[in-house]
Amino acid sequence: MKMNRNEMETLYAFGCPNLKATVERLRMVAALAPDPAAKKLFYMLSVKLSAEGVERWYRCFYRRLRVLKDRREGYYDKTDED
């Protein structure tokens, strides 16, 4: 499954290692979003993550996304890097 940059940013902001909780949270955010484009982004990402077989790779993908994003933004000190 491919994700664009906006979907990855959304997953970084609203996601967690628990797939079911992430999908539920994205649907709630979609319901509360006033902007139609944001509403569509949140809802379509929740649909994408609800597909069959996602549970096999989601947790690993989420952890990798967090590590890559944190390193890009400099959240790790020199002592934290391997």
Side-chain angles (χ1 to χ4, degrees):
M1 175 181 299
K2 291 187 177 185
M3 288 193 184
N4 64 33
R5 184 170 175 86
N6 287 338
E7 290 172 335
M8 285 190 222
E9 292 286 336
T10 301
L11 190 56
Y12 181 81
F14 295 105
C16 70
N18 184 331
L19 176 61
K20 185 176 178 183
T22 298
V23 170
E24 186 175 324
R25 187 176 304 112
L26 286 170
R27 288 185 178 163
M28 282 193 263
V29 171
L32 295 172
D35 180 34
K39 186 180 292 272
K40 181 179 179 181
L41 172 68
F42 297 139
Y43 182 72
M44 294 308 292
L45 183 56
S46 74
V47 169
K48 189 182 277 192
L49 292 174
S50 297
E52 195 169 319
V54 172
E55 62 277 350
R56 288 190 311 250
W57 57 264
Y58 173 76
R59 182 169 274 190
C60 181
F61 177 81
Y62 177 76
R63 290 288 183 202
R64 185 171 173 261
L65 174 70
R66 294 295 295 197
V67 168
L68 290 174
K69 182 84 169 149
D70 288 346
R71 285 196 179 163
R72 255 188 227 140
E73 294 187 3
Y75 291 136
Y76 291 111
D77 294 301
K78 298 282 183 194
T79 58
D80 291 339
E81 292 180 3
D82 294 331

